[in-house]
Amino acid sequence: MSNHILEPLFNPRSIAIFGASNRENSVGGQVLQNVLKSGYEGTVLPINPKHEELLGLKAFPDLKATETTPDLAVIATPAPTVPNILQQCGQSGVRSAVILTAGFREVGNAGKRLEQQVLDIAHTYGIRFIGPNCVGIMSPHIGLNATFSRNQGIPGNIALVSQSGAICTAILDWAEANSIGFSRVISTGIAADTDFGEVLDYLVQDTKTDSILLYIEGLHESRNFMSALRKASRVKPVIAIKAGRHAAGSKAAMSHTGALVGMDDVFDAALRRAGVVRVLTTTQLFDAARILTSRRRAHGGRLAIITNAGGPGVLATDLAADRHIEMAELSQQTLDRLNEVLPATWPKANPIDIIGDAGPDRYRQALEICLEAPEIDGVLVVLTPQAMTDPHTVAEAMVQLDPKKPLITCWMGESLVESSRDLFSKHHIPTYTSPEAAIEAFSYLATHHANQKLLRQTAEAMPLEETPDVERAQMIIEGALQERRKVLTEMESKALLSAFRIPITPTMTAHSAQEALLLASELGFPVVLKVHSQEISHKSDVGGVKLNLKTAQEVRSAYNEILENVKRFRPEAKIDGVSVQPMAMLPHTRELMIGVLRDDVFGPVISFGGGGTAVEVFRDRAVSLPPLNQKLAEDLIAQTKVARMLKQFRNFPEADVETLKQVLCRVSEMVCELPWIEEMDINPLMLGSDGVRAVDARVVVRSFVESHRYSHMAIHPYPAHYAKDWQLTDGTLVHIRPIRPEDAELEREFVNSLSEQAKLFRFGQTFKQISASMLERFTQIDYDTEMAFIALIRNGKEVEIGVVRYIIQPDGRSCEFGLAIADEWQGRGVGHKLMSELMAAAKERGLQHMIGEVRSDNYPMLKLMESLEFSIRNHPEDPAIRLVERQVSRG
Ligand code: ADP
Ligand code: MG
């Protein structure tokens, strides 16, 4: 049993059912029946004051009468009675509940108040609950079916989490018919208490769960969700379907970006960044479930197809190309081996056409060879029932193998292949009716594998001389906000960009034709004139932009024309002047657009695509959540149509993509460091073959007070500002910085090199090699809830000599810390320094106190704790352990 806070919910030893009855069509009646039918072995306590016995079980008038404390309370009584029941539960020590009852926030204000009452009681007693307004939960492995679904759910390895109860029951019904089993089924209802994030957190460590299916309708909060999703998809495939793809944007947008990027784009970007595979239809979700029933995961995306007919092979290959699935290139060895078992006429390439007369033996031999070939990551076996083929005997040959990589089958046809499909299902070999569905299913596994790379990305710190002038940017924004302006002028917007080292065309404002001429002389011809008005967001629409003005005469008439045009098209608009800027003349320019938008749930998002005055027509955009680094920026660019125009085409040499990636990273830094940004358009960003220039920019800001640094973001950026150099008294230079996923090797060497005793002191156990999952947990951290600093020295190569970390506790105010120093570096002040840095970070994060456990015989550590003014006391249960504690800031 794990000690996860939700464990009693999913693995209760006893349950009380409030509202249990013998009426079959009542919720409480159905739940009681389900619990009895599903073979739950724990104790079942029906609670209903109107009955003494229900379905053969003794019933109790209330919880007290049971004289026990059940692990789980299932509540199916009318809404107004729920607070009272929960109170009873709290008083008798019940800490987990599932509330099936409807009639809370979804029915309006009275319901909202009732919900708050329930929440308050839960908080008072520390009760965690699922629901209300949900179908319930299932843990088929222990025969627990605490739902009112008509289906039982068979044990399996997939966890299903659904916001919709109806979808939940529909999936269960389909799954039962297709022998697909579940580890857990969770209908979250309105998730008043336990949300998606926490459920996912449980499923990550749940050994019964190999993969996760999510049905999402909407989210209120993104931080928990994102960090739990990212954690989950690092270890298990997560496949999600999201309802409401075409829901309209939430607010009237003041920018191009706002008009182009919808809520669903943002959701899509979030899922992608979290490494989640998204499907669009329930059929796809079912197909995904089917492939997940097999425990085999792809370790690459290269597919081999074995078929007894050419047509389906070609179809499948086409589809694989559409889905970006690589067809495995067969090695000479594989070809040689196949030549030995296949008729001479086989095409000697992938798809591996084993010819129409193939029987079970040939199928089996070809499959064995593919399963052993290192250049193949997954195999699709296709069979079309031909005159000489007996589908069932071939299927029997297939199920005898124990594949170590994904094996997918597709027996085409209907009545002739029905028994084969049943056989595959029974053996948990994913089987599909069409090659298309089979290919798509493999793409889910391949995508999960490919996602791992994106998941390990952290945004890197910029080189020092490139550090943005955050203070300057902040002052520009404050200035505007003080004037009660939300829309920054082109000049202000560009000043912001330039504070973050994004190249711009310098811009000044003229209030007369004469002044425009002087500014043009100052800036150098040719110039561009644009109307400068708070009230005009798309300047060329009103004839407010004049390009490439080469002479004094041209500037003068352009100035007057702009004023005339604007007066004609927008007579009511107040004109603040005309801005003058150099004409950007980069050779081989591509016009691009970078945008920023703030989503209510996911915070800032960055979009990229083709730019210019017609962006709304082409609608070419891709969206990503910050923080970005070079790799993520590359991934963002690659998703657009304009990406192809950045390569060499016609007489255009390749565009300066490296610089473009840098600009995207700097925009990402802007949104990390400037939480005031509400929307931003850089349109166009002129990208040449050598260099880049932002020629138009528009930033919309909001007043905002941060609760702590980066609290406005869904993904906490790499906290580069903690990096520093420090000297030991003997002059040794030590570099201290937050840990990163790339540090896995450093950390492995460090931990493995610790002495037995040091390991015992730090981990409470000894081991030879740190496990892969431990290493992942140590280096891939969520900087919002955890912090770890490593101390490095240069000794030919970088060597880690110490690490310190804290993890925020569920109360959100305190954190538990751990410290480890390499044996030969102990007693030299490294521990003291790392602890001081960690304490400062905890304080900055707004935490109140730090706690830790130190072994009683770890004298150096206890001494260090004393010198850092930690209080030290005995552990209440374990004499071998001291508890150390210290305030870091006053609440
Ligand atoms: P708006 O988007 O408000 O209509 P812009 O400032 O983006 O106005 O100008 C419209 C178009 O004029 C741009 O898409 C770009 O093609 C061109 N342009 C604007 N400023 C410059 C400049 N400084 N150098 C070269 N071209 C420019
Ligand atoms: Mg523009």
Side-chain angles (χ1 to χ4, degrees):
M1 252 211 195
S2 77
N3 50 15
H4 195 279
I5 189 155
L6 298 184
E7 186 68 20
L9 248 168
F10 294 112
N11 272 325
R13 283 159 304 185
S14 50
I15 57 178
I17 303 172
F18 291 85
S21 84
N22 49 14
R23 280 182 300 126
E24 213 177 289
N25 49 10
S26 76
V27 170
Q30 186 70 40
V31 175
L32 181 59
Q33 273 204 5
N34 278 346
V35 169
L36 295 180
K37 239 196 278 172
S38 61
Y40 176 60
E41 283 177 4
T43 315
V44 182
L45 308 162
I47 308 218
N48 186 335
K50 294 195 207 112
H51 295 269
E52 296 205 335
E53 195 205 282
L54 284 168
L55 307 182
L57 286 179
K58 180 174 161 45
F60 301 87
D62 52 28
L63 192 56
K64 225 191 211 136
T66 67
E67 292 176 3
T68 61
T69 303
D71 281 345
L72 175 65
V74 180
I75 303 175
T77 57
T81 66
V82 173
N84 191 1
I85 288 174
L86 209 61
Q87 179 94 23
Q88 275 185 48
C89 290
Q91 279 162 355
S92 61
V94 177
R95 293 293 170 260
S96 303
V98 176
I99 305 176
L100 307 173
T101 313
F104 292 88
R105 97 174 56 145
E106 73 283 5
V107 299
N109 281 336
K112 263 188 210 145
R113 278 193 297 277
L114 202 60
E115 185 178 319
Q116 192 53 50
Q117 231 178 318
V118 168
L119 268 175
D120 290 343
I121 295 167
H123 290 163
T124 308
Y125 293 103
I127 300 173
R128 301 311 314 271
F129 67 87
I130 299 269
N133 194 3
C134 69
V135 170
I137 60 169
M138 283 186 190
S139 283
H141 287 274
I142 58 163
L144 176 68
N145 179 359
T147 71
F148 58 89
S149 151
R150 306 233 165 244
N151 298 93
Q152 288 308 316
I154 45 180
N157 60 343
I158 304 173
L160 168 67
V161 190
S162 172
Q163 269 180 334
S164 150
I167 290 284
C168 210
T169 42
I171 293 179
L172 282 169
D173 195 41
W174 168 85
E176 206 164 278
N178 286 275
S179 328
I180 285 173
F182 294 97
S183 57
R184 318 279 174 196
V185 176
I186 303 127
S187 152
T188 62
I190 57 180
D193 177 45
T194 311
D195 59 10
F196 255 114
E198 276 172 298
V199 170
L200 281 168
D201 190 64
Y202 175 80
L203 296 175
V204 173
Q205 52 86 59
D206 179 26
T207 51
K208 293 273 183 283
T209 299
D210 285 341
S211 56
I212 301 167
L213 289 186
L214 295 179
Y215 177 87
I216 307 171
E217 283 179 344
L219 293 172
H220 315 290
E221 187 275 345
S222 65
R223 261 288 172 88
N224 280 346
F225 177 68
M226 278 305 281
S227 55
L229 260 192
R230 285 158 60 80
K231 269 193 195 129
S233 49
R234 269 173 195 146
V235 280
K236 305 175 182 188
V238 181
I239 295 184
I241 183 167
K242 155 92 167 58
R245 268 200 318 127
H246 292 289
S250 56
K251 52 193 163 206
M254 285 194 268
S255 59
H256 290 294
T257 311
L260 285 176
V261 177
M263 286 196 303
D264 194 66
D265 293 309
V266 178
F267 213 95
D268 204 60
L271 290 181
R272 190 178 157 84
R273 184 67 186 273
V276 172
V277 181
R278 183 174 183 181
V279 296
L280 300 180
T281 66
T282 39
T283 316
Q284 287 174 324
L285 191 72
F286 292 159
D287 286 346
R290 225 188 271 275
I291 194 147
L292 294 177
T293 55
S294 147
R295 295 195 112 93
R296 303 290 162 230
R297 299 290 171 254
H299 295 289
R302 298 162 303 175
L303 181 71
I305 301 173
I306 298 173
T307 171
N308 67 345
V314 178
L315 270 180
T317 311
D318 280 351
L319 212 93
D322 292 344
R323 295 265 171 249
H324 306 289
I325 291 174
E326 206 183 318
M327 291 293 284
E329 184 96 34
L330 302 181
S331 71
Q332 193 53 51
Q333 196 193 359
T334 306
L335 286 172
D336 290 346
R337 292 189 64 192
L338 286 169
N339 282 335
E340 272 171 39
V341 299
L342 298 183
T345 51
W346 87 280
K348 309 197 170 42
N350 184 16
I352 301 163
D353 185 344
I354 60 174
I355 313 297
D357 61 351
D361 282 342
R362 204 186 291 162
Y363 259 103
R364 185 180 45 76
Q365 285 167 324
L367 177 57
E368 268 170 349
I369 294 168
C370 287
L371 290 174
E372 280 162 22
E375 73 273 22
I376 295 172
D377 299 309
V379 188
L380 165 60
V381 183
V382 181
L383 178 139
T384 53
Q386 300 184 25
M388 328 236 270
T389 324
D390 174 13
H392 195 81
T393 51
V394 177
E396 276 173 339
M398 299 288 98
V399 300
Q400 266 148 38
L401 298 176
D402 177 26
K404 296 280 181 286
K405 43 182 100 156
L407 164 65
I408 305 164
T409 56
C410 172
W411 265 218
M412 295 175 75
E414 208 50 68
S415 54
L416 287 175
V417 298
E418 221 176 280
S419 69
S420 311
R421 287 192 194 138
D422 288 345
L423 189 68
F424 287 133
S425 294
K426 233 198 299 143
H427 285 83
H428 300 303
I429 293 178
T431 186
Y432 295 88
T433 48
S434 71
E436 292 90 328
I439 290 284
E440 199 152 296
F442 180 71
S443 81
Y444 303 144
L445 293 185
T447 309
H448 169 67
H449 174 76
N451 282 343
Q452 303 304 311
K453 267 186 249 134
L454 285 182
L455 272 171
R456 285 188 172 75
Q457 302 295 323
T458 52
E460 289 145 41
M462 294 270 164
L464 219 53
E465 71 271 20
E466 302 269 303
T467 308
D469 190 343
V470 181
E471 203 184 334
R472 170 159 42 119
Q474 215 167 310
M475 283 173 69
I476 294 166
I477 293 173
E478 274 165 14
L481 287 173
Q482 265 160 22
E483 289 176 19
R484 302 186 168 280
R485 280 191 292 126
K486 286 190 176 321
V487 184
L488 304 191
T489 64
E490 183 181 337
M491 224 164 126
E492 287 169 327
S493 304
K494 283 180 173 172
L496 227 54
L497 296 181
S498 120
F500 278 78
R501 318 289 179 225
I502 297 170
I504 54 157
T505 46
T507 302
M508 298 198 237
T509 310
H511 299 93
S512 67
Q514 179 70 1
E515 210 182 335
L517 182 53
L518 294 180
L519 292 177
S521 319
E522 182 95 350
L523 291 166
F525 288 90
V527 292
V528 174
L529 259 54
K530 300 181 192 174
V531 60
H532 172 30
S533 161
Q534 297 286 326
E535 291 158 36
I536 298 173
S537 49
H538 302 319
K539 301 174 285 291
S540 21
D541 292 359
V542 296
V545 179
K546 296 284 165 194
L547 300 173
N548 207 13
L549 310 169
K550 298 194 190 75
T551 64
Q553 189 54 48
E554 282 178 10
V555 169
R556 191 188 294 268
S557 37
Y559 185 93
N560 293 325
E561 261 177 66
I562 287 179
L563 291 192
E564 275 167 32
N565 285 344
V566 176
K567 281 213 186 85
R568 178 144 42 102
F569 291 112
R570 293 284 299 275
E572 82 301 344
K574 182 176 169 296
I575 302 175
D576 304 311
V578 170
S579 71
V580 186
Q581 58 190 281
M583 176 79 191
M585 289 193 292
L586 302 169
H588 309 295
T589 303
R590 279 83 157 176
E591 289 200 14
L592 307 172
M593 172 166 134
I594 297 178
V596 171
L597 196 74
R598 215 177 49 80
D599 179 81
D600 287 341
V601 175
F602 289 100
V605 293
I606 297 175
S607 76
F608 170 75
T613 45
V615 285
E616 276 93 352
V617 180
F618 296 109
R619 303 190 73 81
D620 172 33
R621 86 265 177 223
V623 177
S624 184
L625 295 194
L628 296 181
N629 65 7
Q630 301 272 332
K631 172 80 189 61
L632 294 166
E634 201 174 292
D635 180 64
L636 176 63
I637 298 168
Q639 291 174 56
T640 58
K641 296 193 197 90
V642 78
R644 272 170 274 167
M645 266 178 61
L646 302 181
K647 306 218 173 80
Q648 192 214 333
F649 74 100
R650 299 233 180 134
N651 60 341
F652 271 50
E654 193 183 341
D656 189 355
V657 176
E658 281 311 305
T659 306
L660 173 61
K661 286 194 270 178
Q662 266 177 31
V663 171
L664 281 166
C665 291
R666 287 172 190 172
V667 168
S668 160
E669 280 215 329
M670 280 179 80
V671 302
C672 294
E673 303 304 329
L674 305 174
W676 304 274
I677 294 181
E678 180 85 35
E679 280 178 50
M680 175 162 94
D681 278 346
I682 306 178
N683 183 29
L685 178 81
M686 305 281 217
L687 179 71
S689 47
D690 180 22
V692 71
R693 204 78 77 234
V695 304
D696 183 22
R698 183 182 172 78
V699 177
V700 183
V701 293
R702 57 169 179 160
S703 31
F704 173 76
V705 187
E706 270 191 310
S707 65
H708 57 270
R709 196 167 184 179
Y710 304 129
S711 62
H712 64 295
M713 305 187 59
I715 301 171
H716 197 296
Y718 177 73
H721 62 285
Y722 287 125
K724 60 175 62 163
D725 288 318
W726 170 73
Q727 240 175 359
L728 289 182
T729 40
D730 68 3
T732 313
L733 197 66
V734 180
H735 185 60
I736 297 174
R737 62 166 171 78
I739 206 161
R740 289 199 287 245
E742 304 88 292
D743 295 328
E745 235 0 85
L746 280 173
E747 175 82 359
R748 181 204 304 280
E749 278 171 26
F750 168 75
V751 174
N752 287 346
S753 75
L754 291 175
S755 68
E756 295 283 290
Q757 195 193 41
K759 280 180 192 157
L760 193 66
F761 282 166
R762 171 62 184 91
F763 305 104
Q765 54 175 330
T766 65
F767 46 84
K768 283 222 158 50
Q769 295 280 326
I770 178 171
S771 71
S773 68
M774 246 165 123
L775 201 58
E776 212 154 80
R777 203 147 33 80
F778 286 170
T779 54
Q780 299 183 24
I781 66 172
D782 173 5
Y783 304 104
D784 190 40
T785 55
E786 261 176 86
M787 189 58 71
F789 293 132
I790 51 175
L792 302 164
I793 53 154
R794 279 222 149 266
N795 195 354
K797 57 171 192 157
E798 268 195 330
V799 180
E800 182 179 327
I801 61 168
V803 59
V804 71
R805 71 179 64 233
Y806 72 59
I807 299 177
I808 300 181
Q809 300 298 290
D811 67 7
R813 291 185 303 271
S814 53
C815 64
E816 197 176 333
F817 74 93
L819 168 74
I821 306 293
D823 292 73
E824 63 276 25
W825 291 88
Q826 285 176 9
R828 296 168 70 174
V830 183
H832 193 279
K833 178 67 182 173
L834 281 177
M835 277 305 295
S836 310
E837 293 296 322
L838 191 74
M839 279 153 59
K843 188 169 174 183
E844 193 186 310
R845 178 64 179 76
L847 299 175
Q848 287 167 19
H849 52 278
M850 281 180 107
I851 48 177
E853 295 188 349
V854 180
R855 284 177 57 109
S856 316
D857 51 350
N858 189 351
Y859 302 115
M861 181 71 171
L862 289 169
K863 223 173 109 201
L864 173 63
M865 290 294 107
E866 225 161 68
S867 74
L868 288 164
E869 297 177 357
F870 273 74
S871 71
I872 302 175
R873 61 193 159 88
N874 291 338
H875 193 286
E877 281 143 38
D878 189 347
I881 294 196
R882 299 270 186 278
L883 293 177
V884 297
E885 190 165 350
R886 187 189 193 282
Q887 293 275 329
V888 284
S889 67
R890 324 244 151 236

